[in-house]
Amino acid sequence: MLPFSREQFIAIFADYNAGVWPAQVVAYLLGLFIVVLLVRPFRDGGRILGAALAVTWIWTGIVYHGLYFSTINKAALGFAAFFVLQGIALVWVGATRRLDASHGRGRAAWLGWGLLIYALVMYPLIGMAFGHRYPEMPMFGITPCPVTIFTFGVLLLVRPGVPWWVLVIPLVWSLIGGSAAFLLQVPQDWLLLLSGVIAAPMILRRAARGSAVGMSSGSITRAGSR
């Protein structure tokens, strides 16, 4: 049982979108900038990507969870802390060059681009198709569910070396937010639950394969130098 009604939940989005305008436009521009970094990577692009992605998590944590959602759900203060922590983690991972773009192909890449397109384009369209109208709807880049979906997409499209602990908070939120989406009748968030269950194991498998390849290459290099 949720500690708030669906009407209260929708009203929070209306107040939030009105109060933070034009942050929605900036968020979309930031999202498109991240897509550019993935398509046309350059030196230190991974660091910039990590910082840009972190902005969406930290903003959502402090402003959405901390200032708005906490007025109807005190647990949101805890969510705020975890979202800020995730943002800091993304900055660190980007600084250690683990978010460099990868032009790999296969299921991971297809799923990654699919999640990015969903978060940027399909997410608001599905909401409107089910009767949600602005400003009473969650928006990309400044609310937790599309931010989480987008993040999974990004992590599927970068070099396979993301540590497992970077996935903990997004995965936990995908379970919390995805489950609540059914109770609150927010169909655009239904994919959130599926995205965490599918994307997180795939990212971990890629990381494990990347580590194995790195260890094999290191062994060959040491053997050749003898």
Side-chain angles (χ1 to χ4, degrees), residues 46-99:
R47 296 180 182 181
I48 299 172
L49 190 154
L53 199 57
V55 168
T56 65
W57 281 86
I58 293 173
W59 171 281
T60 302
I62 294 175
V63 184
Y64 174 76
H65 278 310
L67 299 181
Y68 284 84
F69 192 34
S70 63
T71 61
I72 62 171
N73 184 11
K74 295 305 179 185
L77 295 175
F79 299 154
F82 283 117
F83 267 63
V84 171
L85 184 61
Q86 178 66 21
I88 295 171
L90 288 167
V91 171
W92 184 87
V93 172
T96 56
R97 301 185 64 83
R98 299 188 187 188
L99 290 181

Side-chain angles (χ1 to χ4, degrees), residues 34-212:
I34 290 173
V35 171
V36 170
L37 292 176
L38 292 169
V39 174
R40 299 182 63 85
F42 59 89
R43 183 179 177 85
D44 291 330
R47 296 180 182 181
I48 299 172
L49 190 154
L53 199 57
V55 168
T56 65
W57 281 86
I58 293 173
W59 171 281
T60 302
I62 294 175
V63 184
Y64 174 76
H65 278 310
L67 299 181
Y68 284 84
F69 192 34
S70 63
T71 61
I72 62 171
N73 184 11
K74 295 305 179 185
L77 295 175
F79 299 154
F82 283 117
F83 267 63
V84 171
L85 184 61
Q86 178 66 21
I88 295 171
L90 288 167
V91 171
W92 184 87
V93 172
T96 56
R97 301 185 64 83
R98 299 188 187 188
L99 290 181
D100 291 347
S102 169
H103 288 303
R105 300 178 183 275
R107 289 177 298 174
W110 280 106
L111 178 59
W113 284 114
L115 291 177
L116 295 190
I117 293 171
Y118 184 89
L120 283 164
V121 181
M122 299 305 298
Y123 187 92
L125 294 180
I126 291 174
M128 289 187 287
F130 279 86
H132 299 169
R133 294 292 181 266
Y134 185 87
E136 297 179 343
M137 59 187 294
M139 296 295 293
F140 168 80
I142 60 171
T143 53
C145 295
V147 164
T148 303
I149 294 170
F150 188 80
T151 299
F152 279 128
V154 170
L155 296 181
L156 284 165
L157 292 166
V158 296
R159 181 180 298 174
V162 180
W164 65 268
W165 47 265
V166 176
L167 298 172
V168 172
I169 292 174
L171 179 58
V172 170
W173 183 258
S174 74
L175 300 176
I176 295 173
S179 300
F182 287 92
L183 297 174
L184 295 168
Q185 302 174 38
V186 186
Q188 62 266 48
D189 285 343
W190 293 350
L191 182 69
L192 176 65
L193 186 62
L194 190 62
S195 70
V197 172
I198 294 177
M202 191 174 291
I203 294 167
L204 290 175
R205 284 197 298 270
R206 292 180 71 239
R209 286 198 298 268
S211 298

